[in-house]
Amino acid sequence: MSIAEDEENSALGTAIPEKSTKRDTLGTVCFYHHIAMMAYILSGWGAPWKPALIFYLVFVPSVIAQWRLNRNTCVLNNIEALLRTGKWRNPRNREEGAWLHTLITESTGIPITKFQLDVIMYSVMAALWSLGLSHLQGWLFWS
């Protein structure tokens, strides 16, 4: 195990309290924006228009790139932190860098590691992106 993995695990562990708290208006708006983006990532590959498929094929890698370049944190979480604290990062925000992890563990009760989540998330996103490319190229039988 590397030092970076230790730091990520401890940061993730301290970022997620045992009990969830009720969301305020800003938190609710950000949560549903995340849900909308996730829904688009899951379904955008099926768009019937070529420009929409091209946008999707750029959007999905862009989401991954911004997340990886931003130290595994979504820009939306950073904007929420900036509005709340005046700073780009808020270590007290349990979802910063762990939004999907929090959603999965709270909704299913299944404990999942950061590594497991990364494998699942990147595999699903690669498969969905491939479906979008296949749809754009007309390789799918229903296209």
Side-chain angles (χ1 to χ4, degrees):
M1 185 178 280
S2 72
I3 293 172
E5 288 173 352
D6 287 339
E7 288 175 8
E8 282 184 25
N9 289 340
S10 64
L12 186 62
T14 60
I16 304 172
E18 290 186 30
K19 272 191 154 182
S20 63
T21 57
K22 188 170 169 95
R23 296 179 195 280
D24 61 4
T25 303
L26 179 60
T28 300
V29 168
C30 290
F31 178 80
Y32 284 113
H33 187 82
H34 270 111
I35 293 288
M37 291 188 64
M38 188 170 62
Y40 178 68
I41 289 169
L42 291 172
S43 64
W45 65 269
W49 309 283
K50 185 176 181 176
L53 287 169
I54 292 169
F55 177 79
Y56 179 79
L57 293 173
V58 172
F59 178 77
V60 170
S62 297
V63 168
I64 294 169
Q66 73 80 33
W67 198 67
R68 297 299 300 164
L69 292 171
N70 195 24
R71 297 186 338 206
N72 295 331
T73 303
C74 178
V75 170
L76 181 58
N77 286 124
N78 296 133
I79 292 169
E80 180 183 0
L82 190 61
L83 291 171
R84 288 185 189 281
T85 67
K87 297 180 182 176
W88 190 245
R89 303 235 182 252
N90 180 5
R92 293 192 330 221
N93 179 356
R94 69 191 189 94
E95 293 178 348
E96 189 169 302
W99 181 82
L100 189 57
H101 184 271
T102 304
L103 183 66
I104 290 171
T105 56
E106 286 188 359
S107 61
T108 66
I110 299 170
I112 186 170
T113 67
K114 170 90 172 83
F115 177 76
Q116 290 169 325
L117 179 63
D118 283 350
V119 168
I120 293 166
M121 181 179 63
Y122 292 127
S123 298
V124 168
M125 290 180 94
L128 294 169
W129 187 88
S130 296
L131 279 171
L133 180 62
S134 297
H135 188 183
L136 180 66
Q137 297 298 323
W139 298 336
L140 299 176
F141 64 90
W142 64 82
S143 295

